[in-house]
Amino acid sequence: MWTRRHVVGSSGAAFDIDDEAEEPKIPKFNPFIFLPPALCDVIATSLSYTGLNLTTASSYQMLRGAVIIFTGLLSVAFLRMRLQGYRWIGMLLVTLGLVIVGVTDIVYDDDPTDDVNGIITGNLLIIMAQIIVAIQMVTEQKFLLQYDVPPLLAVGLEGLFGLTILSILMVPMYFIHVPATFSKNPFHRLEDIIYAFQEMREKPIVVVALMLTVDKKLENSTHFQVFNMQF
């Protein structure tokens, strides 16, 4: 609004803004306060994709809805927010849906090749990831309110920290071998960036899928404040 004063538009003109008002400035704060939320994001994403290897994609998508429950509970506990009755009812319905999804995965699985213990472990890992995401959201909301940080700046800082952390971790993870259950690449490395680039070169459709994933991640990050404010 400061940069658009005296602009005439179809709905009128912005002449009531003080010309002597100073240009908005970024508040002073320690950028490393957003390092813990970035760590939460890295851990939650890793747990989610590990769980996805063990369970079905449909269950993965459904179980991600658990973040609503944990974000609401943590907001009440640590941000002192009060939830209306209909929000509690919604959280209860989500909980019921998650229980149905989890039970269905086990009871109605007719594929003898499926590892039931693996499916249960995968579902639990996804639920754990949503708890960490809820911690991330509540922490972000607290810092945004406390330091009056622009949301996009917070997202940028978290992205920078996350990129740095993952770039460092890729080195040791390349040399860590895990059971085939947790890794689908031929060498069963925990994270094989070289094999990933080979797959992208041989199958360009993988690049498209990655771009869609990045786009979705950016969309979620840009709107994380909206999720928090819902509570």
Side-chain angles (χ1 to χ4, degrees), residues 77-144:
F78 296 102
L79 299 181
R80 298 294 186 267
M81 292 186 176
R82 301 185 62 181
L83 304 184
Q84 298 89 340
Y86 69 89
R87 297 189 187 277
W88 287 108
I89 295 174
M91 290 165 58
L92 180 61
L93 293 175
V94 171
T95 303
L96 180 61
L98 295 177
V99 172
I100 294 174
V101 170
V103 172
T104 301
D105 275 347
I106 300 172
V107 177
Y108 295 99
D109 184 15
D110 298 328
D111 191 343
T113 62
D114 287 344
D115 183 2
V116 176
N117 291 330
I119 293 176
I120 296 175
T121 302
N123 290 346
L124 290 176
L125 287 176
I126 296 170
I127 294 295
M128 290 173 57
Q130 304 319 304
I131 296 175
I132 297 175
V133 171
I135 295 173
Q136 173 192 352
M137 288 188 173
V138 171
T139 305
E140 289 167 343
Q141 181 70 0
K142 179 178 176 61
F143 290 153
L144 286 175

Side-chain angles (χ1 to χ4, degrees), residues 118-204:
I119 293 176
I120 296 175
T121 302
N123 290 346
L124 290 176
L125 287 176
I126 296 170
I127 294 295
M128 290 173 57
Q130 304 319 304
I131 296 175
I132 297 175
V133 171
I135 295 173
Q136 173 192 352
M137 288 188 173
V138 171
T139 305
E140 289 167 343
Q141 181 70 0
K142 179 178 176 61
F143 290 153
L144 286 175
L145 296 176
Q146 182 176 350
Y147 298 102
D148 192 26
V149 181
L152 289 180
L153 175 59
V155 170
L157 289 172
E158 289 187 21
L160 178 61
F161 290 139
L163 177 63
T164 303
I165 294 169
L166 286 177
S167 298
I168 295 173
L169 289 179
M170 278 184 181
V171 177
M173 288 193 296
Y174 178 82
F175 296 99
I176 297 176
H177 295 269
V178 295
T181 304
F182 297 96
S183 178
K184 302 302 182 184
N185 70 71
F187 308 103
H188 304 306
R189 301 182 189 277
L190 184 59
E191 188 64 45
D192 193 339
I193 186 65
I194 298 177
Y195 180 72
F197 280 113
Q198 291 176 350
E199 286 288 289
M200 285 187 280
R201 185 179 68 252
E202 296 174 2
K203 301 178 181 179

